[in-house]
Amino acid sequence: MINNIKKDFPLLNKKINNKQIVYLDNAATTQKPDAVIYAISDYYNKYNANVYRGIYKISEEATVEYELAHARVADFISCHKEEIIFTKNTTESINLLAYSFLNSTLLIGEINKNDNKKESKEDNKEENLFILNKGDEILLTEMEHHSNLVPWQQLAKKLGLKLRFMKIDKKGKFIIDKRLFTEKTRIVAVTHVSNVLGTINDVKKIVKLAHMQNALVVVDAAQSVPHMPVNVHELDCDFMAFSGHKMLASTGIGCLYGKKKLLEKMQPFMYGGGMIHLVDCENASWNNLPMKFEAGTPPIAEAISMTAAIDYLTKQGMKNIRRHEMELTTYALERLKKIKGLVIYGPDTAEERCGVISFNLKNIHPHDIATVLDKENIAIRAGNHCSQPLMNALQTNATCRVSFYLYNTFDDIDRLVKCLEKVKKIFS
Ligand code: PLP
């Protein structure tokens, strides 16, 4: 059971006009507990130094904590610590992949072309996975956040690839059409949980279909890893991206998981200090994982905040968090459905979705709704949620979105519903 934890989050206890904030924009970013804030200030107060370089105590301590953060994240999603690369956020993780595929295609493709020895294709099977040829396909869904769409659009334009899409049905689930998985499919990039509809997608099934065609699977887990137990080993996806700031850690830290055997074969996309092994005036070789993909001074304080965030989440228990959010979602769906003129998008039940609910109120613009709610110190999101293709599929320009996290309560939902009734009166 998760009870009475708002006290751990200083911002949630702040009052404006004598009203405590009801924070319902957790899909955008989450509030931070004292434990995370202390971990960051502890680093700056007690052992602020760069990592890997200094032969002195505070640098060694910072290095130990920075490496520990990789291990903690790896444990959290059940992989090895070399398979966790720290980035800035989910967006950077996905861009890293797209650029790496581009570099691999340009570089390895060129080497293979000039290689007279016929051994390359079979011997470098894994390396060749990253070589994309004109006409190859990237399979996406209509419900992708722009972060898991635009990088692939750009890659497709540069290499002459084709984008294909799984469509969504009336209930906000995408239709897994097996005919879209063909020998031309090279990358399948899907969101685990929709940031608009909350839909939990069947990634395991997608991975099986993709692997039958030797395609690589990239999972955008920005909205799943923070909210439910996720095991990359069980899912068997090749890559997974998520952001620290959506799971209690600070901004400026993101993660990219990749299977070790794949990361070892991939080309880096950022070059400089930290990611090299040996350098002479003309050439350089690459460091071991994960440093090969972490060029320059990394986000040290941010990584340390990730350890504190994961410790906090683990103490509450990811299964409990999922259960708590399901209870909140069931209650919210029930109450919202009773408001006349309110349309809810996405699946009917909390079993099929995470704690994200998008809705519209007939004839009232989402921005107007959000503005009135803000007057009552209730924070929700209104807009297209960086998902314009999904808005087109839903035949709307914008929605209101409420999204829950472990600290939200039934009382928060009661305040929301009461205020929505007020909105209706104001605009009637
Ligand atoms: N993918 C999904 C599903 C998201 O919800 C978000 C952010 O809302 C992102 C990607 C991008 O995350 P970030 O802004 O942390 O890079």
Side-chain angles (χ1 to χ4, degrees):
M1 270 295 278
I2 295 177
N3 255 332
N4 198 21
I5 57 167
K6 279 196 181 180
K7 63 179 177 3
D8 297 344
F9 295 78
L11 195 139
L12 295 178
N13 295 301
K14 198 169 130 79
K15 288 190 175 166
I16 299 178
N17 294 338
N18 218 20
K19 283 182 192 127
Q20 206 166 329
I21 189 168
V22 171
Y23 185 76
L24 298 175
D25 195 16
N26 294 286
T29 200
T30 58
Q31 299 306 329
K32 319 302 172 200
D34 284 321
V36 165
I37 299 166
Y38 291 150
I40 297 167
S41 70
D42 238 32
Y43 164 68
Y44 285 120
N45 278 321
K46 298 185 184 150
Y47 58 101
N48 172 42
N50 213 328
V51 289
Y52 299 125
R53 288 150 213 195
I55 322 252
Y56 51 88
K57 276 189 231 40
I58 55 170
S59 173
E60 279 161 9
E61 193 177 345
T63 304
V64 167
E65 291 299 324
Y66 182 67
E67 287 186 336
L68 180 70
H70 286 88
R72 274 290 206 287
V73 174
D75 266 2
F76 196 61
I77 60 163
S78 304
C79 65
H80 298 292
K81 61 178 198 276
E82 305 97 305
E83 295 177 313
I84 295 296
I85 293 153
F86 283 145
T87 61
K88 195 168 63 180
N89 47 36
T90 305
T91 308
E92 189 175 283
S93 298
I94 297 169
N95 273 275
L96 187 159
L97 283 176
Y99 274 105
S100 174
F101 293 162
L102 177 67
N103 283 350
S104 301
T105 298
L106 298 179
L107 198 79
I108 309 170
E110 223 24 66
I111 293 169
N112 282 358
K113 232 191 270 165
N114 298 333
D115 195 351
N116 292 328
K117 287 182 263 149
K118 284 270 175 238
E119 45 147 83
S120 64
K121 270 232 150 96
E122 262 317 294
D123 289 359
N124 296 331
K125 217 166 155 198
E126 250 127 37
E127 213 160 82
N128 288 334
L129 272 178
F130 308 113
I131 301 173
L132 301 162
N133 294 304
K134 202 168 173 191
D136 283 346
E137 293 178 359
I138 302 177
L139 181 56
L140 303 154
T141 80
E142 273 185 334
M143 65 167 77
E144 297 314 312
H145 187 282
H146 298 160
S147 294
N148 196 32
L149 169 61
V150 182
W152 304 120
Q153 287 175 345
Q154 292 305 309
L155 182 68
K157 282 185 208 301
K158 284 179 188 132
L159 295 177
L161 313 175
K162 199 164 172 217
L163 300 180
R164 306 205 74 184
F165 292 88
M166 288 182 251
K167 301 254 173 237
I168 63 155
D169 64 17
K170 285 201 181 96
K171 286 289 165 214
K173 292 178 157 188
F174 60 71
I175 304 157
I176 305 180
D177 180 352
K178 290 183 185 161
R179 288 167 305 178
L180 288 171
F181 295 77
T182 71
E183 67 213 7
K184 285 203 170 295
T185 315
R186 303 302 310 282
I187 298 165
V188 181
V190 292
T191 189
H192 197 178
V193 168
S194 162
N195 62 306
V196 177
L197 306 169
T199 320
I200 303 171
N201 294 312
D202 191 349
V203 167
K204 227 170 163 174
K205 188 166 172 187
I206 301 273
V207 170
K208 276 202 185 120
L209 289 170
H211 283 175
M212 276 159 64
Q213 302 293 348
N214 255 339
L216 296 167
V217 181
V218 180
V219 177
D220 174 350
Q223 300 296 346
S224 61
V225 166
H227 300 279
M228 57 165 89
V230 171
N231 182 321
V232 280
H233 188 67
E234 267 175 22
L235 290 176
D236 195 30
C237 58
D238 300 293
F239 302 98
M240 180 176 273
F242 50 100
S243 297
H245 70 94
K246 292 185 195 290
M247 51 188 286
L248 308 183
S250 77
T251 50
I253 180 87
C255 302
L256 173 66
Y257 155 78
K259 283 180 180 163
K260 188 176 174 198
K261 62 176 185 184
L262 298 177
L263 291 173
E264 276 171 347
K265 300 279 183 185
M266 279 163 58
Q267 292 300 311
F269 106 94
M270 293 247 273
Y271 305 95
M275 56 75 67
I276 49 78
H277 173 49
L278 291 172
V279 184
D280 63 27
C281 285
E282 307 292 336
N283 288 301
S285 57
W286 315 140
N287 208 337
N288 296 328
L289 291 172
M291 286 95 93
K292 172 180 166 187
F293 291 99
E294 294 183 353
T297 298
I300 305 165
E302 292 80 357
I304 288 166
S305 83
M306 196 74 171
T307 303
I310 287 178
D311 285 349
Y312 189 92
L313 292 171
T314 309
K315 205 167 126 213
Q316 297 298 334
M318 289 310 291
K319 280 191 183 152
N320 291 335
I321 293 170
R322 169 75 183 129
R323 198 175 309 124
H324 178 71
E325 288 182 24
M326 272 172 75
E327 283 168 11
L328 291 175
T329 307
T330 303
Y331 182 65
L333 286 171
E334 257 171 40
R335 295 227 48 195
L336 290 171
K337 272 180 200 158
K338 288 190 183 135
I339 300 178
K340 240 176 144 193
L342 189 143
V343 181
I344 298 173
Y345 300 93
D348 289 331
T349 67
E351 282 75 29
E352 302 161 282
R353 57 155 91 210
C354 269
V356 177
I357 305 176
S358 269
F359 61 89
N360 269 323
L361 264 174
K362 204 170 164 200
N363 297 333
I364 311 177
H365 195 280
H367 284 169
D368 290 333
I369 299 172
T371 307
V372 177
L373 290 175
D374 179 50
K375 294 226 157 58
E376 295 293 320
N377 211 9
I378 301 172
I380 70 155
R381 182 72 153 233
N384 64 40
H385 317 292
C386 298
S387 304
Q388 288 182 36
L390 179 57
M391 291 296 123
N392 292 340
L394 297 173
Q395 297 183 326
T396 183
N397 291 326
T399 69
C400 295
R401 180 187 72 186
V402 293
S403 49
F404 310 124
Y405 210 11
L406 70 169
Y407 37 67
N408 286 117
T409 60
F410 292 103
D411 191 43
D412 291 343
I413 295 164
D414 290 341
R415 267 183 68 190
L416 168 77
V417 170
K418 196 169 161 202
C419 196
L420 286 172
E421 293 291 3
K422 191 171 159 189
V423 172
K424 275 183 65 183
K425 276 197 195 122
I426 294 172
F427 289 94
S428 66

